[in-house]
């Protein structure tokens, strides 16, 4: 058993579908020609948060400023999607943007999204470790099963 390859499993797979699922939970319809107003508001909040996060010196943080927003999903490279998840997680936790999100989902649903976003970002961090012991890889099956219960897969 080997750990999953982060680029294809996470960044271009699960992260992409998580971002799309979050937008659908807020009222986006893939067949619609124009996104709902709440997604435009989320993009505005995301730009503000991304700008603030850009004023730090920690090189370990992902790219978080997206001038075209985070809900469109277009023109996002795989390595940028973890930054989008981080921004969405922060938006779910900030009181002002949380109030906006709560207009479209219940508190329980919001907590589920927070747990999912935190889990995916933690999983990505773990997979990016330079080395992983076989013991840890085998033990990760429990965590993978937990992700499946969250409805991530």
């Amino acid at each position: 058993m080997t750990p999953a390859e982060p680029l294809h499993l996470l960044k271009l797979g699960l992260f992409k579908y998580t971002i799309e699922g979050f937008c659908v939970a807020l009222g986006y319809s893939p067949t619609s020609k124009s996104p709902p107003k709440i997604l435009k508001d989320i993009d505005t909040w995301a730009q503000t948060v991304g700008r603030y996060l850009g004023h730090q010196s920690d090189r370990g943080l992902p790219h978080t400023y997206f001038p075209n927003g985070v809900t469109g999903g277009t023109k996002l490279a795989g390595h940028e999607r973890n930054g989008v998840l981080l921004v969405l997680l922060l938006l779910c936790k900030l009181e002002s943007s949380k109030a906006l999100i709560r207009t479209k989902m219940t508190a329980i649903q919001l907590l589920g999204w927070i747990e999912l976003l935190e889990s995916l970002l933690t999983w990505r961090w773990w997979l990016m470790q330079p080395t992983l012991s076989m013991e840890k890889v085998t033990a990760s099956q429990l965590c993978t099963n937990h992700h499946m219960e969250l409805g991530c897969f």
Side-chain angles (χ1 to χ4, degrees), residues 18-70:
T18 299
I19 295 164
E20 185 177 319
F22 186 79
C23 294
V24 167
L26 292 176
Y28 171 72
S29 173
T31 58
S32 174
K33 293 184 180 181
S34 64
K37 183 182 179 322
I38 190 170
L39 292 186
K40 294 175 185 175
D41 294 338
I42 291 290
D43 282 339
T44 302
W45 274 103
Q47 289 169 352
T48 303
V49 168
R51 224 174 292 142
Y52 280 116
L53 287 174
H55 296 289
Q56 49 74 34
S57 60
D58 185 356
R59 299 249 183 233
L61 280 179
H63 175 76
T64 55
Y65 179 65
F66 305 98
N68 295 327
V70 295

Side-chain angles (χ1 to χ4, degrees), residues 82-103:
N82 55 325
V84 172
L85 290 187
L86 178 60
V87 169
L88 290 177
L89 176 61
L90 290 172
L91 292 178
C92 288
K93 290 185 165 251
L94 290 170
E95 290 302 321
S96 46
S97 54
K98 186 192 305 186
L100 175 67
I101 294 169
R102 287 284 317 276
T103 63

